[in-house]
Amino acid sequence: MWSVPESTSDRVDWPVSDPPPWPASVRAILWWHRSTPAARELGPDDRTIPVTVAMMVDYLDSPVGPYREILASPVLHAPGKRIGPMPRMAVPFIAVDSEPSVHGGRFHWQLPKVLAEFDGDVQQKFTATGDGWRVRSDTRMLGPRLPIAGALGFAQPESGGGLAIASARLTGSFRYARVSVEAEGPTLPNWLASGTHHGVVILGGKMTTGAAKHR
């Protein structure tokens, strides 16, 4: 499973979760910045877009109950015949505070989920803390409330050389934001850049993550 040290676990016995689709009610922040040289080296071996995307999500309900999550993609897969017409995240770092969600990420979508602790309000000041790493966010919302309807896609490298490709469809409302970030850990500061970045706040929404296709 493709991951960085902050998202690596030797544990294999996770509580079993239901298969997708996974519908959920969410509150979240998302931010992005130009990828660092380290991020470009970390990216998968195909055509990529040098943009790093990160999210912190508060799942108010889901098939495994409420939980919180942080994830980041150092670069984006560029559109192409293999992954389809939209850019997709390649996620080597993702952490949650739910053991069944760890199972779901690892077994349904090839996402290298690990356990972490979370504190604060995801739309204001929020902290994610794991084994030897920490990410803090401080979000300032700007601009009007607007509707949102779209999809976030990801394509996860598999051990046999293929890709697990899936999408999460989202409807709800958002506001533009500036997100101040501090990242600590063995590798995170090299590619998840600390500083103040452009972002959006998902004020409230419905999200459904579908099953992965293997290509």
Side-chain angles (χ1 to χ4, degrees), residues 4 10 31 38-39 41 60 68 88 92 100 110 114 116 125 129 137 142 146 161 170 173-174 177 186 190 204:
V4 294
D10 293 329
W31 70 91
E41 292 178 4
L60 305 179
R68 292 170 291 182
R88 292 181 182 270
Q110 296 296 306
V114 294
K125 293 185 178 182
T129 305
S137 64
L142 304 165
L146 298 169
L170 173 70
S173 60
F174 79 100
N190 297 328

Side-chain angles (χ1 to χ4, degrees), residues 75-207:
V75 294
L76 299 176
H77 289 276
K81 184 177 180 180
R82 194 178 186 193
I83 71 161
M86 71 175 182
R88 292 181 182 270
M89 293 184 287
V91 181
F93 169 65
I94 178 169
V96 295
D97 60 358
S98 161
E99 291 190 351
S101 180
V102 173
H103 175 273
R106 287 178 169 264
F107 288 88
H108 303 321
W109 295 290
Q110 296 296 306
L111 291 164
K113 289 188 178 182
V114 294
L115 288 175
E117 296 180 353
F118 296 82
D119 184 62
D121 185 328
V122 71
Q123 296 180 350
Q124 299 179 30
K125 293 185 178 182
F126 201 55
T127 302
T129 305
D131 185 9
W133 61 266
R134 179 177 290 113
V135 180
R136 300 183 184 91
S137 64
D138 188 352
T139 301
R140 182 165 62 99
M141 287 186 272
L142 304 165
R145 182 185 188 119
L146 298 169
I148 187 171
L152 293 169
F154 53 89
Q156 293 300 106
E158 297 183 296
S159 58
L163 290 175
I165 297 174
S167 298
R169 300 192 175 278
L170 173 70
T171 59
S173 60
F174 79 100
R175 291 180 67 184
Y176 170 74
R178 297 286 282 170
V179 184
S180 297
V181 177
E182 295 179 9
E184 306 170 17
T187 67
L188 285 180
N190 297 328
W191 62 272
L192 187 62
S194 295
T196 301
H197 309 296
H198 296 288
V200 295
V201 173
I202 307 301
L203 299 169
K206 297 290 186 181
M207 185 170 71

